[in-house]
Amino acid sequence: MRSPGSHRTALITGITGQDGIYLTRLLQDEGCTVVGTASSPAIRGPAGRRVTAYLPRVAVVSCDVRDRTGMRRLLEAHRPDEVYNLAALSSVALSWAEPALTLDVNATAVAGLLDDVLALRDRTGADIRFFQASSAEVHGSASESPYAQAKALAEVSVVEYRERHDLHACFATLHNHESPLRDGRFLTRKVTRAAARIAAGRPDPLTLGNLAVRRDWGHARDYVVAMRAMLRTDAPIDLPIGTGVAHSVTELVDVAFDAAGVEEPWAHVQHDESLMRPRDAALIVADPEPARQAIGWTATTSFVELVAQMVHVDQERLRRGVEDDPAYLLR
């Protein structure tokens, strides 16, 4: 039987991020041709190494998602069956410093891309499907941030194009999802890297803020399965994607240091009041039932398994001095 992805083409914006890499490999495994976009800094900088290491057989094009002319050319040249918009400014903190840029990338560009996909569909008659990566922050503690407000506007655009133009478009409200490819600026990778360093005899202190907040942390590898399933439903549907289980930052530290074989982790942790966010919600957790019922999806990687994998890969990075290797995705 032919795979559902055989002879299909997918366009993934923001392909050099963790979601883009895992999604690419998932789609390629079923025979799908993948084309990706990334901004020039992402290709030239640290994420650019991932293009070589993790994205074989992929045409990665330097094209900012805000570049309407460039995106139209890509759509016309490749005629994708599926469009996954993963490109975004993903930092809530940065969004306060760059509100106009955040709005352009996370909202205005989404509406433009939807319009271009619609135009291609109407011109060719092809069934082109669109997925938008949204965020639980839209309804969480950072809901008033430029980041969350831009993501909310993008959701409105998706619904508008679906209802007014009958475009197969959907968005997922993605809860926290991590992997060994997570950028070091994010909390989970900050913790796992510290655990690996301390276990290796490099006792730099780990500085943290609020330890009590509880978040729904899942594995990016699981979440891209949900993205693909959502895009292939007969009728488009918007869904929250998460494990349904929350864990505190304290648990994150305990699990990470245990995986690294470090006893008494709290001897290595410092508290910094400046890292406390006054509007942090005590709890943000997904309801996994809608995704289970609509697309048969549930998370398959536990919190302990996720954190342990991240720690072991960070230990391997320290041992080998190699930041990026496809083998890291298989641990």
Side-chain angles (χ1 to χ4, degrees), residues 23 26-27 30 84 223-232:
L23 179 59
L26 177 70
L27 295 175
E30 63 177 20
Y84 297 87
Y223 284 43
V224 300
V225 174
M227 296 177 191
R228 179 187 63 178
M230 288 178 65
L231 208 67
R232 296 186 183 170

Side-chain angles (χ1 to χ4, degrees), residues 190-211:
K190 181 179 179 181
V191 170
T192 62
R193 288 175 69 179
R197 287 197 306 270
I198 291 167
R202 305 179 189 182
D204 297 328
L206 171 61
T207 305
L208 299 172
N210 192 340
L211 301 175

